[in-house]
Amino acid sequence: MQFLSRWESQRLSSTTRGIPLVDGLPIEEIAGQNWQPSRGDLALPALTLDEAAFAANRDLFLRWCESAGVSVAPHAKTPMSPELALSLREAGAWGTTVANIQQAAVLLASGERRLLLANEIGGLAAGRRLGALLGAYSDVEFHAFADSPAAVAALAEADRIAGRGELSVLVELGAGRAGARDRAAIEATIAAVLAADRLILGGVATYEGAVATPDADETMRAIAALMERTIAAFALVRHAAPGRPLIISAGGSAYFDVVARALAPSAQADGNASILLRSGALFFADHGIYARAFAELDRRGGLAIDGARHSATEGFRPALTLWAEVLSRPEAALAIAGFGMRDASFDQGLPVPLRAFRDGVEQQGLAETLSVTRLNDQHAFLSVAPDSTLGVGDIIAFGISHPCTCLDRWRVVLGLDADGVVTRALPTQFG
């Protein structure tokens, strides 16, 4: 728990978005301020986390993982919050996934000791940087991806610099993104690991989201083909590493059920292999891309937990809310809200108005008549019914689409309790 004292030593001020005019407020005292975004207590815009929704999403997914016989290393790239990573691990997650060396440094410094680096790291210079990092944490269990002899050489350099021995390499295969494309590339990568003095074969990995298309049926066919290739690659790795516990890693937040079902027979038949998912965004859910993904999951049969079917759409609850104030209503059918591309994700859909407040009182039905049509850097354009009562100073709560590209815009996310009161500040560490 060493990192908690590090966060508690931080002080908040108005130099951080969302924090009102306070000077040096100790982060551990934020819960005593009784701030409510709906009342205008924060310096809007602000991003908040519904604590109950996040906990419910966590518990639901971990129950599903246990029932499906798989493990999860939640991807830290989504929030880059050591506190949330710890909470997931303490609830039962296998460990934590990171995407690069900087993220690994953040999580190691915060106390995490089982990491999956789900990416190639680069060349020998990156290997030396990783080696210097791992050398400072001799007790860490560390796994990394490689899809070529060059990627293996970088990891071998990291292990040499760290002086630790037995760094675990997962052979990555893929399509559309990184990953070995054919059997020859897989065999060359395996051979490079076996030839390295300090590396061990840890298993195989892939990412099914890279083959997804707008067509659901085509996506299912592409994922099925990728899973067949993954199973074939696993057989090659198992032949090269008999008797060793191996990992089969896949699974983002949209098709985790599909890959778990496809890979389970191979893991069970092997008897010494585990399926490790890397889902991260689903713990936050959203009102856009993941809302659509959960609807598709329900069309595939929903979540099977201990023999019962559960609706993903009903079970996963959006946990992130963006709060902003109406700045102007220059035309009858137009309002300008005080947030923009610097505050919200927009790569997978624009924010959605959820609730509207005036002087802390919710204006029932008002948000339903609004829609965001476009964003500037710091302005949101809202379509408004000409007879709408929306006015300057009204506060709107927005749902977002794609947590990953929303959270990385914020240095601090504020936790909210069931009454809409700020409970804590969650610093993010995106670098």
Side-chain angles (χ1 to χ4, degrees):
M1 301 291 285
Q2 176 182 356
F3 79 92
L4 288 180
S5 62
R6 179 181 169 203
W7 299 142
E8 289 169 357
S9 68
Q10 291 192 10
R11 292 178 178 270
L12 299 172
S13 73
S14 56
T15 60
T16 298
R17 264 182 308 162
I19 304 302
L21 288 174
V22 295
D23 184 16
L25 177 71
I27 200 168
E28 63 268 24
E29 294 182 12
I30 194 169
Q33 306 306 306
N34 198 37
W35 289 337
Q36 297 185 45
S38 63
R39 203 169 56 196
D41 296 336
L42 302 179
L44 302 181
L47 185 67
T48 63
L49 175 75
D50 182 328
E51 300 272 16
F54 181 83
N57 295 341
R58 175 198 66 205
D59 294 345
L60 175 63
F61 187 61
L62 290 177
R63 282 176 55 214
W64 177 85
C65 287
E66 182 177 8
S67 179
V70 302
S71 299
V72 61
H75 213 315
K77 71 176 176 62
T78 300
M80 280 308 294
S81 165
E83 289 181 85
L84 294 181
L86 174 63
S87 73
L88 293 171
R89 182 169 52 78
E90 289 185 333
W94 174 91
T96 303
T97 297
V98 294
N100 55 40
I101 297 171
Q102 181 267 338
Q103 293 177 10
V106 169
L107 272 296
L108 288 172
S110 74
E112 295 300 313
R113 288 298 178 268
R114 180 185 267 174
L115 294 185
L116 174 65
L117 201 165
N119 206 350
E120 285 70 30
I121 64 169
L124 296 180
R128 289 189 284 273
R129 290 195 298 274
L130 178 60
L133 175 65
L134 294 179
Y137 298 97
S138 59
D139 57 340
V140 65
E141 178 183 337
F142 194 84
H143 307 261
F145 288 9
D147 62 0
S148 67
V152 172
L155 294 175
E157 179 71 357
D159 212 20
R160 183 187 70 81
I161 296 294
R164 52 181 285 127
E166 296 200 339
L167 189 151
S168 170
V169 179
L170 273 62
V171 178
E172 183 187 16
L173 63 144
R177 203 169 74 174
R181 294 298 198 258
D182 53 34
R183 178 174 178 137
I186 293 168
E187 290 178 336
T189 304
I190 292 172
V193 174
L194 295 177
D197 291 337
R198 299 170 178 268
L199 303 181
I200 62 170
L201 285 167
V204 297
T206 192
Y207 175 55
E208 72 287 350
V211 301
T213 74
D215 184 280
D217 292 337
E218 182 181 341
T219 294
M220 290 300 103
R221 289 191 294 271
I223 293 176
L226 183 61
M227 293 303 102
E228 289 179 6
R229 292 177 54 210
T230 302
I231 293 167
F234 173 74
L236 294 174
V237 171
R238 170 54 75 202
H239 179 75
R244 180 176 297 148
L246 295 177
I247 291 169
I248 309 174
S249 181
S253 293
Y255 306 104
F256 58 86
D257 60 316
V258 177
V259 300
R261 187 164 53 248
L263 297 174
S266 295
Q268 292 167 0
D270 181 86
N272 198 19
S274 57
I275 298 172
L276 181 61
L277 306 180
R278 308 190 299 274
S279 313
L282 59 74
F283 295 103
F284 301 89
D286 68 10
H287 286 87
I289 181 174
Y290 288 107
R292 296 188 292 272
F294 297 147
E296 285 296 323
L297 197 158
D298 282 344
R299 280 190 276 274
R300 297 193 295 267
L303 297 167
I305 302 176
D306 298 331
R309 293 287 174 175
H310 300 261
S311 168
T313 301
E314 296 176 5
F316 288 110
R317 296 158 46 190
L320 295 174
T321 303
L322 180 71
W323 300 82
E325 190 174 15
V326 176
L327 306 181
S328 173
R329 189 164 174 191
E331 302 170 12
L334 174 67
I336 306 297
F339 77 94
M341 292 185 288
R342 293 179 174 177
D343 309 298
S345 50
F346 53 90
D347 58 313
Q348 299 289 347
L350 294 172
V352 179
L354 302 175
R355 304 169 71 188
F357 298 84
R358 181 174 299 150
D359 300 323
V361 178
E362 183 168 3
Q363 306 299 295
Q364 298 292 336
L366 181 54
E368 299 170 5
T369 68
L370 311 174
S371 64
V372 179
T373 59
R374 64 188 179 99
L375 303 176
N376 285 164
D377 285 355
Q378 297 188 256
H379 295 85
F381 294 72
L382 274 64
S383 173
V384 184
D387 60 350
S388 171
T389 61
L390 184 73
V392 171
D394 288 349
I395 293 172
I396 304 174
F398 295 86
I400 60 94
S401 178
H402 201 186
C404 300
T405 53
C406 186
L407 284 159
D408 67 2
R409 287 164 163 77
W410 292 86
R411 286 169 50 198
V412 169
V413 179
L414 301 173
L416 288 190
D417 65 15
D419 295 322
V421 177
V422 173
T423 57
R424 60 173 171 167
L426 293 160
T428 63
Q429 300 291 312
F430 288 99

